[in-house]
Amino acid sequence: DRPARGRMTALIVGGSLGGLSTALALANAGIPSTVLERTLGRTQRGVAIRVGGAPLERAIGPKAFRIVTDRLGREAVRQNVLPHAWWDAWSALRDAVQAEPLISVVEGARITEIGQEGGKVRARSQSGEEWTADLLIGADGYRSVVRAHVAPEQPDADYAGYVVWLGQSEIPQPYRRQVRGVDFMSGDS
């Protein structure tokens, strides 16, 4: 489907959690997007992430939110405290993206060049395919092709300097009201 005349379009480089969420938020605002993802299918990239209810619903809209909560469980999203497995969150977002006609996903698109010509932005893949739109969003990780173009003096993201170990188990009933979120502890703990 071609966007209506005069409607803004977007390219999103990166199809992980940030790219999929952004595509859903743009669709919720009526903006069609193309998500360009380097991998074919999906590989595990993270451990866990917290998926919260109302803010997510406002961003991606009720239809997409319903798909995400059907996949993750309404109560699990409503609790907004304990994290969800990364793979489950990605799969839920991907299901919502696949149900949204304003979003197309191109897998295996290894973007090697971005640019701007006139009022349009352009992304070109290693195989020579090219996509154009009005807006370009980089959601392509710490070795971002988009960042390298926009800020060539800092092509890679800074390392945050910490490692997170995550454990999750059933919380005993007497302690459930005390759980408030994720705890960060120093290396001495």
Side-chain angles (χ1 to χ4, degrees), residues 2-14:
R2 294 186 62 93
R5 182 177 210 111
R7 182 190 284 181
M8 178 183 285
T9 58
L11 290 176
I12 301 169
V13 179

Side-chain angles (χ1 to χ4, degrees), residues 58-138:
R58 282 192 301 275
I60 68 175
K63 177 184 166 192
F65 184 73
R66 199 168 22 263
I67 293 169
V68 169
T69 57
D70 285 350
R71 177 79 184 232
L72 296 177
R74 291 187 194 289
E75 290 304 315
V77 172
R78 186 176 295 131
Q79 55 87 15
N80 195 21
V81 175
L82 299 174
H84 291 81
W86 183 96
W87 181 259
D88 291 340
W90 180 85
S91 297
L93 289 170
R94 187 61 189 254
D95 287 350
V97 162
Q98 289 174 330
E100 176 53 62
L102 290 177
I103 302 171
S104 62
V105 177
V106 180
E107 293 181 332
R110 183 177 289 276
I111 303 303
T112 56
E113 180 186 335
I114 64 164
Q116 183 174 349
E117 295 171 12
K120 297 284 186 184
V121 292
R122 162 181 54 77
R124 183 175 294 139
S125 71
Q126 189 174 35
S127 65
E129 284 184 271
E130 191 168 289
W131 298 267
T132 60
D134 301 300
L135 172 67
L136 176 72
I137 297 168

Side-chain angles (χ1 to χ4, degrees), residues 17 32 39 42 48 59 73 81 86 88 115 121 124 149 153 158 170-171 177 180:
L17 301 179
T39 63
R42 191 68 214 158
V81 175
W86 183 96
D88 291 340
V121 292
R124 183 175 294 139
H149 179 78
E153 70 284 355
D158 292 332
E170 182 67 28
I171 298 171
R177 289 179 179 250
R180 297 285 185 254

Side-chain angles (χ1 to χ4, degrees), residues 41-64:
R42 191 68 214 158
T43 58
Q44 177 76 26
R45 292 287 170 90
V47 176
I49 190 165
R50 215 169 85 183
V51 179
L56 181 63
E57 183 174 13
R58 282 192 301 275
I60 68 175
K63 177 184 166 192

